[in-house]
Amino acid sequence: MSATKLAIFISGRGSNMQSILDACESDTFPAEVVLVVSDTPGAEGLAKAEKAGIAHATIERSNYDDKQDFEDALDRVVRESGAEMICLAGFMRVLGAHFVNKWDNKILNIHPSLLPSFRGLHTHQQALDAGVRFSGCTVHIVRPALDDGPIVVQAVVPVNEGDTADSLSARILHYEHVLYPEAIRLLCTGEAKVVGDKVDIAKGRWQVTGLVNPAPFI
Ligand code: GRF
């Protein structure tokens, strides 16, 4: 099976991007990263992409008159790279329906909560404010609404006594780094398939879509 070509969109640190790059190092991983795109000049993740020898580009919203022009530029650079799937990894923009529909079921996102709870910004503070005992992270197919779309995989992570948004975020991030490559693997091997508003998992593979670790990671 040939490796699925991925483009990764980032805005900052790029630790999820790095976890995908690391997974792609394995000969048995069914994907390869052909492009990293940042909307933020000098994003930390760009240096990581450079170090890994991955083609990268910066496309700034402020250089375009409107959102559609900006998204058309994103679309062009991704198509030129030959990428077949787009992974949003800390990309701090909501892509419009025009773009999302062009890449129907081909855009993935990772969000640091158990969706559909706590969409949007300040996710960890939202979880703490709600007093939940468990939070987690979700990889989902992107639909035009914010943090919405069919769920591929989730990990459940405990909220500990005395947690702050930072400590919870750090604990969840460890699981994100396991979860994102797993979601990509499932989709690229065909073990996971989008069917309507849900993701169907191949018979007998259901257990890999939920990762539960009740012991505090940190
Ligand atoms: C992650 O927590 C991700 O879930 C969220 O933004 C953060 C990005 O971190 N969407 P990084 O840039 O991957 O390190």
Side-chain angles (χ1 to χ4, degrees), residues 13-16 89-90 110-112 173 176:
R13 179 175 60 182
S15 70
N16 277 290
I110 187 154
H111 185 71
L173 193 65
E176 294 184 41

Side-chain angles (χ1 to χ4, degrees), residues 21-33:
L21 290 178
D22 292 347
C24 290
E25 290 285 305
S26 158
D27 291 343
T28 59
F29 196 72
E32 62 175 315
V33 179

Side-chain angles (χ1 to χ4, degrees), residues 10-17 48 89-92 109-112 124 169 173 176-177:
I10 61 167
S11 295
R13 179 175 60 182
S15 70
N16 277 290
M17 175 205 76
K48 292 177 179 157
F91 185 64
M92 300 302 285
N109 182 41
I110 187 154
H111 185 71
H124 305 99
S169 160
L173 193 65
E176 294 184 41
H177 295 160

Side-chain angles (χ1 to χ4, degrees), residues 10-12 37-41 57-61 70 74 90-93:
I10 61 167
S11 295
V37 181
S38 171
D39 67 334
T40 310
T58 302
I59 299 184
E60 280 181 82
R61 169 69 183 83
F70 167 67
L74 290 174
F91 185 64
M92 300 302 285
R93 286 183 185 278

Side-chain angles (χ1 to χ4, degrees), residues 70-153:
F70 167 67
E71 293 184 352
D72 285 346
L74 290 174
D75 183 64
R76 263 195 310 278
V77 76
V78 175
R79 288 189 195 278
E80 278 163 15
S81 76
E84 301 153 275
M85 192 183 272
I86 298 170
C87 299
L88 308 183
F91 185 64
M92 300 302 285
R93 286 183 185 278
V94 181
L95 293 165
H98 178 73
F99 185 91
V100 171
N101 292 337
K102 277 201 272 193
W103 289 89
D104 193 28
N105 292 338
K106 297 290 180 196
I107 310 176
L108 290 175
N109 182 41
I110 187 154
H111 185 71
S113 74
L114 292 173
L115 289 173
S117 292
F118 315 133
R119 293 179 161 126
L121 294 175
H122 310 298
T123 318
H124 305 99
Q125 193 57 51
Q126 289 187 55
L128 293 175
D129 291 347
V132 295
R133 305 299 188 233
F134 290 89
S135 189
C137 41
T138 304
V139 179
H140 66 98
I141 304 290
V142 171
R143 295 280 190 257
L146 179 65
D147 297 325
D148 184 43
I151 290 168
V152 187
V153 277

